[in-house]
Amino acid sequence: VIKQFAFLVMSLVVMCFVANLYKFEKFRFPLSSEHYYNLKEEIRVNFTFMPIIMLAIGGLLLVCLVFPAINGTHAWINLGIMTLQPAEFAKVAMIMLVAGTFCKARPKATWVELIKPVFLIFAAYFVIILVLQNDLGSAVVLAFVTVSCCMICTDVRLRKVQYVVAGLMAFALVGALFILSPIGTSVVEHLPLNAYQINRIITSVDPFYDRYGAGFQVSNSLIAFTRGGLVGSGLGTSIQKFGYLPFADS
């Protein structure tokens, strides 16, 4: 409780600080204005923080690889008193990137020029998180956040791209429904994925599939919710905390 309260206070302070200093013009991507073909001139004339933010987050994502893996994933930076997961910052940064790039887009830019910076940065983040960090969950969420932001944009130049993306999302939805079936689960077991990734998918479909193995945390979390009901069992009185939940705070 103390840990969560401390994070809440820190988050409120940072939110107020950023809200007072935030200026949209300083957080857009420089490759979206009239100086599109001259990056040096664009940075000199109209400096923005977005390239620096993107490089910093990319660096943090790579720094995670230095720290020991947790459950097979190199996704956290251990600071001793706390851990940081840079992938969470990447999700917010992609929202800012999409908004800044599409809002201040050069009128004569083609749809390829429009989505190029977004696609390249997203691809770099996605590869680092999925392949190097081995974090399938964060990679999927990052993809969903980025695609959702692109679908919201009303620029007519992106209309065809949005139609294609909508079709791919529909296909992904059908695939997700297929995975929920018994046949789909058996197919997942034979996919060329890491063991942890396969277990993550299977336990999402059926948390009790491997109750004392890969599904231990998820299944006991559900039991804890069931025991507590709508109002909970009371602060500090949960039975599941006695060794049943390895990561009770998650």
Side-chain angles (χ1 to χ4, degrees):
V1 176
I2 297 176
K3 177 181 177 181
Q4 298 299 329
F5 181 75
F7 281 131
L8 175 63
V9 174
M10 292 171 56
S11 300
L12 288 174
V13 172
V14 173
M15 181 187 71
C16 294
F17 177 77
V18 174
N20 288 326
L21 296 181
Y22 184 85
K23 292 183 179 179
F24 184 80
E25 291 76 12
K26 293 300 181 182
F27 288 89
R28 65 179 183 80
F29 200 79
L31 296 183
S32 55
S33 72
E34 294 298 335
H35 299 285
Y36 184 87
Y37 296 104
N38 194 335
L39 178 58
K40 292 183 179 180
E41 181 66 13
E42 170 64 21
I43 294 177
R44 185 186 69 82
V45 174
N46 197 1
F47 173 78
T48 72
F49 292 105
M50 188 53 66
I52 298 176
I53 293 174
M54 291 299 171
L55 289 174
I57 293 177
L60 289 175
L61 291 172
L62 293 175
V63 169
C64 291
L65 304 178
V66 179
F67 293 87
I70 300 178
N71 293 331
T73 303
H74 293 273
W76 291 272
I77 298 177
N78 191 347
L79 300 179
I81 59 174
M82 60 183 294
T83 57
L84 290 178
Q85 188 175 8
E88 299 299 326
F89 300 115
K91 298 168 189 175
V92 178
M94 287 305 302
I95 296 174
M96 296 170 61
L97 174 65
V98 173
T101 302
F102 292 165
C103 181
K104 296 292 183 178
R106 187 166 61 93
K108 295 182 180 179
T110 64
W111 68 270
V112 176
E113 296 169 343
L114 199 59
I115 67 172
K116 185 177 180 180
V118 174
F119 175 77
L120 292 178
I121 294 176
F122 163 73
Y125 284 179
F126 189 83
V127 169
I128 293 175
I129 295 174
L130 180 62
V131 179
L132 300 182
Q133 291 190 355
N134 206 22
D135 189 356
L136 175 63
S138 294
V140 171
V141 173
L142 179 67
F144 179 78
V145 168
T146 306
V147 170
S148 298
C149 291
C150 293
M151 294 297 289
I152 294 173
C153 181
T154 58
D155 196 312
V156 294
R157 290 169 290 183
L158 296 175
R159 195 62 51 81
K160 292 183 178 180
V161 178
Q162 290 173 335
Y163 287 151
V164 174
V165 172
L168 293 176
M169 292 178 67
F171 180 78
L173 178 60
V174 173
L177 294 175
F178 172 72
I179 290 176
L180 293 176
S181 67
I183 299 178
T185 303
S186 62
V187 171
V188 169
E189 294 177 345
H190 295 86
L191 292 177
L193 300 174
N194 293 325
Y196 110 92
Q197 294 174 332
I198 295 176
N199 289 332
R200 185 73 179 271
I201 296 173
I202 294 177
T203 53
S204 297
V205 177
D206 182 9
F208 295 92
Y209 173 80
D210 186 11
R211 179 177 175 181
Y212 299 102
F216 189 82
Q217 168 76 15
V218 180
S219 60
N220 281 283
S221 297
L222 294 175
I223 294 173
F225 280 117
T226 303
R227 287 180 180 273
L230 293 176
V231 296
S233 58
L235 184 61
T237 62
S238 172
I239 297 176
Q240 298 303 113
K241 69 178 182 178
F242 295 107
Y244 295 102
L245 286 176
F247 305 99
D249 57 345
S250 66

